[in-house]
Amino acid sequence: MRVDLEFWRGRRVFLTGHTGFKGSWLTLMLKMLRARTTGYSLPAPTDPSMFELLGLASALDHHIGDIRDLAAMETAMREAQPEIVFHLAAQPLVRASYAEPVDTFATNLMGTVNLLDACRRVPSVRTVVIVTTDKCYENTGLTRGYAESDPMGGQDPYSSSKGCAELAVSSYRDSFLRAAGIGVASARAGNVIGGGDFAIDRLVPDAMRAFCAGNPLEIRNPAAIRPWQHVLDPLAGYLMLAERLHGDPGFAAGWNFGPAVADAAPVEAVVDSLIECWGEDARWVRSPGTHPHEAATLMLDCSKAGERLGWHPRLSLDEALKLSADWYRCWHEQGDLIAISKDQINQYLSL
């Protein structure tokens, strides 16, 4: 199965976090699919940002707002009258969560609660997809991929806040939304990479900044294994999930959208591949000093999405890294970022 292009034509969509990395890609995809999208988010979180570089404010009904402000978000949602809601707004960084744990829980847990509460009072809403993370699972060192039936948890504030958000989704589904005829599902992706990410303390944007400046990339945990995937793979999963959930409440559950098991690779291997893509004396060194705890190994079992949604990752890790490097090289050389972004989406949708 693929994304149903006709399903999205003219569909009213409310998207939180549209100014972020994943939100920018989803904004552009929805624009290309001819959906009628309203975005609600804080200003772009980085400078530069994909949202600003591509001028995406003109691609949707653009609202600046905080998901911690329930009244403002509900007002924007009522004005938009969406059928489908995608919730991507979050504090998305593990290391930042150690520095600002209260803000992380306020955004990731209570922001999600606010979104769910607004959805139950806006009559037009029928379908809600809440995006969390692979790190929402209690990491017990399993060598197999974590499945949707595994318990929620998380040691660091970011992971724990996302596990809490998953519990809030389950509570609102059982207490309010199912009875109101609103389907709500959660989506858990892996370590998402791709052009347009300019966040600090993420591997690919850190590498691109270092390589563009002619500096070595510093790596904290070279042996850490993560489920790497190109941003378009999970976004396609979110769209497919919303399509099915819109017509069938049986899809109101948690879903993993991770890469193939072979693409769960150590940081060192990913950086070596990036260096090969980039060339020009790109290199890495190990970062000195001590660092906050991060899980050593994390993989997802995505068999449920394959069996029930027909979703499978279409881009290998090598392909994902090449697409990412191509995008950043275009940015570095001041090329046409709108064209390369649309081209990568069209290539993906045609696979």
Side-chain angles (χ1 to χ4, degrees), residues 68 91 96-110 157 161:
R68 293 170 293 184
Q91 192 297 97
S97 76
Y98 281 104
E100 299 179 343
V102 173
D103 183 66
T104 297
F105 276 97
T107 300
N108 293 350
L109 172 56
M110 290 310 301
S161 70

Side-chain angles (χ1 to χ4, degrees), residues 22-337:
K22 288 173 75 175
S24 293
W25 278 102
L26 186 52
T27 294
L28 184 57
M29 290 182 78
L30 289 167
K31 174 69 172 178
M32 294 170 67
L33 293 168
R34 300 185 183 180
R36 296 163 55 191
T37 307
T38 297
Y40 183 90
S41 178
L42 292 173
T46 61
D47 183 16
S49 73
M50 180 175 176
F51 186 80
E52 297 290 348
L53 289 170
L54 271 65
L56 291 175
S58 64
L60 77 178
D61 185 8
H62 171 53
H63 291 260
I64 294 297
D66 194 324
I67 59 172
R68 293 170 293 184
D69 186 340
L70 172 57
M73 181 164 55
E74 183 173 337
T75 296
M77 191 181 294
R78 285 187 179 278
E79 291 174 355
Q81 289 294 297
E83 303 166 73
I84 296 174
V85 175
F86 289 105
H87 179 49
L88 274 65
Q91 192 297 97
L93 302 173
V94 172
R95 284 168 67 88
S97 76
Y98 281 104
E100 299 179 343
V102 173
D103 183 66
T104 297
F105 276 97
T107 300
N108 293 350
L109 172 56
M110 290 310 301
T112 300
V113 169
N114 287 342
L115 184 283
L116 292 166
D117 212 58
C119 286
R120 75 187 180 106
R121 287 194 298 273
V122 176
S124 62
V125 175
R126 301 266 54 87
T127 300
V128 184
V129 175
I130 306 291
V131 175
T132 61
T133 176
D134 58 336
K135 297 177 182 65
C136 66
Y137 292 108
E138 180 67 36
N139 195 310
T140 56
L142 293 178
T143 55
R144 66 165 173 81
Y146 288 87
E148 290 87 348
S149 57
D150 286 318
M152 299 292 101
Q155 176 174 326
D156 60 86
Y158 168 72
S159 302
S160 179
S161 70
K162 287 294 194 172
C164 290
E166 286 279 357
L167 296 177
V169 170
S170 179
S171 173
Y172 263 78
R173 180 192 297 123
D174 294 341
S175 299
F176 307 111
L177 300 179
R178 181 181 290 116
I182 300 172
V184 59
S186 59
R188 307 149 189 175
N191 273 37
V192 174
I193 62 176
D197 188 0
F198 292 96
I200 303 297
D201 287 329
R202 280 200 189 130
L203 183 64
V204 173
D206 283 351
M208 294 297 102
R209 275 187 290 268
F211 298 165
C212 287
N215 298 324
L217 169 67
E218 292 191 2
I219 300 178
R220 297 189 302 270
N221 300 301
I225 296 174
R226 295 287 183 270
W228 311 95
Q229 61 190 138
H230 193 271
V231 62
L232 294 178
D233 262 334
L235 291 184
Y238 306 163
L239 292 168
M240 293 171 66
L241 174 58
E243 291 169 17
R244 299 298 294 277
L245 180 60
H246 201 64
D248 186 344
F251 287 86
W255 298 83
N256 288 342
F257 295 102
V261 173
D263 287 332
V267 168
E268 181 177 2
V270 171
V271 175
D272 285 342
S273 294
L274 273 176
I275 287 172
E276 186 175 343
C277 290
W278 192 261
E280 298 179 7
D281 299 322
R283 62 199 189 283
W284 69 270
V285 296
R286 182 151 192 168
S287 178
T290 58
H291 306 285
H293 171 270
E294 295 184 58
T297 303
L298 187 58
M299 295 185 292
L300 292 175
D301 177 352
C302 303
S303 55
K304 184 173 109 171
E307 293 165 2
R308 296 196 58 201
L309 287 172
W311 175 90
H312 301 278
R314 294 177 180 168
L315 296 171
S316 69
L317 179 55
D318 286 341
E319 290 169 327
L321 291 171
K322 184 180 185 307
L323 287 172
S324 303
D326 288 347
W327 197 100
Y328 285 107
R329 188 175 294 281
C330 181
W331 166 70
H332 182 55
E333 296 176 352
Q334 300 183 352
D336 189 337
L337 293 175

